[in-house]
Amino acid sequence: MAEQAEEARQAATKYVLITGGVVSGLGKGVTASSVGVVLKSCGLRVTCIKIDPYLNTDAGTMSPFEHGEVFVLDDGGEVDLDLGNYERFLDVTLTRANNITTGKIYQSVIEKERKGDYLGKTVQVVPHVTDEIKHWIQSVSCVPVDGQSRPADVCVIELGGTVGDIESMPFIEALRQLSFSLGKDNFCLIHVSLVPVLGVVGEQKTKPTQHSVRELRALGLTPDLLACRSAQPLIGSVKEKLSQFCHVPVGNILNIHDVPNLWHVPLILRNQKVHEAIIKQLNLARSAGPPELRDWTQMAESFDDLKNSVKIALVGKYTNLTDSYLSVVKALLHASVACSLKPSIQWIAASDLEDATATNAPDAHAKAWETLKGSSCILIPGGFGDRGISGMILAAKYARENKVPYLGICLGMQISVIEMSRHVVGLVDADSEEFNADTPTRVVMYMPEVSKTHMGSTMRLGCRRTFFRRTDCLTSKLYGSPPHVDERHRHRYEVNPAFVAMLEKAGLQFVGCDESGKRMEVVELQDHPFYIGVQFHPEFKSRPRRPSPPFTGLILAAAEYMGKLANNSNGHVGTSEF
């Protein structure tokens, strides 16, 4: 009886699976998020799962160059950046369990084998690994992510990688079994594929999608809808050809063509009636209404109509791959749009600002400094390792001395502490233990509770409370003057409390701390229009309609800075930028 009740509870949640073919990087994550937005606008409650077929248990130890940004959740989970897309688009709070990896699945299976849960059976990919995948999906899909107590109506599952990859085969098989056991009215498959245009012929080619669908069908999964990526809208004959050779009705062939901004994607899908196809397939007509996306439409169109821009110098270590700072970019977008400005991010490799680069690559050095000086604000995001640190310190020094609005996040806050210690307090050998373990002046030190032997999941992670030491500080005012804020963290180094009094005397005020009162979380510079450093990562909780307060403050300060320069005929930013 209890088992039947559990099965009925799990069956209450319907599943929409997003797979990808032809090539990676087609935008499966944005497609999954956008499908979720449209379904949510119909009154359905939506949750999401991302499946990553790599053997890592999580994304925490992966280089940003390897896999883009590591997104941090409230519970401390270090996950794929697509979960950040889900949270931003759907305004939900996910958990680490919403990101399934091969490493997690095999770890769980091996732990069960060691405990004897398989009763002496030979443990195999089928059925043991596939059963674990199915159990994980059905368990996680029942966990509410929107603050309510009931399970979601629909769980959108994104399968990472490309159909045919050897790494994803156990997941494909598990999803095939899940589809069969649940039935057609509980499972809908959307396959994202590419319809390229060959430069010579100029014709939209369907053959790559045909082969991709054939591969998927050979593995036991048949798409109910096709989401075709293309530069331009598909012509009618192409849809008919795809329908004929892929066994998908013409009405279920969606076209996601290039758009001015990603907020248009849910609107494109709504206009092509994706909700009607999914609701019909999943038998959700009683629960769903017509899509209500007026606010979303206004948001997308208002961004397109913006004329004035703000130049933001982003000084980082991983600027060659902008996905390394995806949440920072989105937070800047949210804040800029709220201030009726378009963000113009000026990517500056921190190492290009260093004195050594002036000798080795003088052109890159000159261009980096020209870009920095031509920007209306400076942002230094998080990062690890000593590469580019000298350039970041020089950027922070420039912002401090020239009254340029500055926001330092995590590493960026620690950079401001090191810069002040060296150039204002006079501690010329001040450094972080991360960059120089032998320095006698460790103004930034290793947190005592953090492991020095293991890298994965050993940092101070997740949502933590920061208390304001001064209620009249600028950061507190940006948040609406609360006594504390809850933001997400990801760091293993902290400001050395032994130097706090000395730095405060020099003008760097520590206005936020943790519950102990000893771990410093927020710094502000006296007699500066906007110079803030935060140990936490406010970008992870920024939403399109609720921009992060520190980012909003930075953009407002940049706009004021531009206005002052525009009033001075010798300013380095013209009025066209404001």
Side-chain angles (χ1 to χ4, degrees), residues 34-150:
S34 300
V35 167
V37 167
V38 177
L39 293 177
K40 186 177 179 180
S41 75
C42 293
L44 299 171
R45 295 174 53 243
V46 180
T47 185
C48 293
I49 293 175
K50 172 67 189 294
I51 297 174
D52 284 304
Y54 48 67
L55 281 170
N56 306 63
T57 55
D58 60 34
T61 59
M62 299 177 73
S63 165
F65 288 125
E66 184 80 17
H67 206 66
E69 158 190 272
V70 176
F71 191 80
V72 179
L73 302 170
D74 269 4
D75 66 356
E78 297 173 286
V79 297
D80 183 82
L81 57 82
D82 280 320
L83 274 80
N85 279 326
Y86 304 158
E87 286 204 344
R88 284 186 290 269
F89 270 59
L90 296 170
D91 197 14
V92 294
T93 302
L94 302 175
T95 70
R96 68 181 73 210
N98 290 86
N99 191 191
I100 303 175
T101 70
T102 301
K104 286 180 179 178
I105 296 297
Y106 275 85
Q107 188 177 57
S108 178
V109 169
I110 290 170
E111 286 176 357
K112 289 181 178 179
E113 186 274 331
R114 291 290 83 188
K115 289 191 295 183
D117 289 358
Y118 296 119
L119 301 175
K121 294 283 187 180
T122 301
V123 180
Q124 297 175 294
V125 173
V126 180
H128 301 100
V129 170
T130 52
D131 283 352
E132 185 67 23
I133 293 169
K134 291 187 293 180
H135 173 73
W136 196 303
I137 290 173
Q138 292 184 288
S139 298
V140 172
S141 66
C142 292
V143 177
V145 295
D146 56 0
Q148 299 191 33
S149 57
R150 296 183 299 105

Side-chain angles (χ1 to χ4, degrees), residues 34 38 41-42 254 264-276 290-294 296-297 301:
S34 300
V38 177
S41 75
C42 293
L254 313 169
H264 282 282
V265 178
L267 305 178
I268 288 176
L269 294 177
R270 185 272 315 271
N271 294 342
Q272 296 177 70
K273 303 188 185 310
V274 67
H275 53 288
E276 293 183 3
E292 175 50 67
L293 285 169
R294 280 180 294 182
W296 193 278
T297 303
E301 292 177 349

Side-chain angles (χ1 to χ4, degrees), residues 351-498:
S351 55
D352 287 347
L353 296 171
E354 296 175 352
D355 295 338
T357 308
T359 303
N360 302 329
D363 291 343
H365 181 265
K367 183 179 179 181
W369 274 105
E370 180 184 0
T371 303
L372 186 76
K373 293 178 179 180
S375 300
S376 300
C377 61
I378 297 172
L379 187 151
I380 298 182
F384 298 94
D386 60 358
R387 183 175 57 83
I389 295 303
S390 297
M392 294 181 187
I393 291 173
L394 289 170
K397 182 173 183 286
Y398 175 82
R400 176 179 59 82
E401 293 179 341
N402 293 276
K403 307 290 186 183
V404 180
Y406 173 89
L407 177 61
I409 298 173
C410 195
L411 173 62
M413 170 184 156
Q414 296 170 7
I415 289 294
S416 64
V417 170
I418 296 171
E419 191 279 320
M420 280 286 292
S421 300
R422 290 182 183 179
H423 302 127
V424 178
V425 180
L427 303 173
V428 293
D429 54 356
D431 215 333
S432 168
E433 190 175 357
E434 179 180 9
F435 316 134
N436 184 2
D438 299 324
T439 180
T441 314
R442 292 182 298 170
V443 294
V444 177
M445 67 179 194
Y446 217 101
M447 289 189 292
E449 72 271 28
V450 172
S451 171
K452 293 188 177 183
T453 58
H454 288 72
M455 299 289 287
S457 298
T458 59
M459 288 185 278
R460 186 167 178 254
L461 293 165
C463 191
R464 308 286 180 128
R465 181 155 289 180
T466 296
F467 294 86
F468 290 111
R469 302 172 79 197
R470 289 174 45 184
T471 56
D472 63 339
C473 66
L474 178 57
T475 309
S476 174
K477 291 177 181 178
L478 289 171
Y479 279 95
S481 301
H484 55 75
V485 294
D486 297 319
E487 292 282 9
R488 297 176 184 178
H489 292 67
R490 185 176 186 249
H491 65 110
R492 56 168 53 93
Y493 296 90
E494 64 177 340
V495 176
N496 190 336

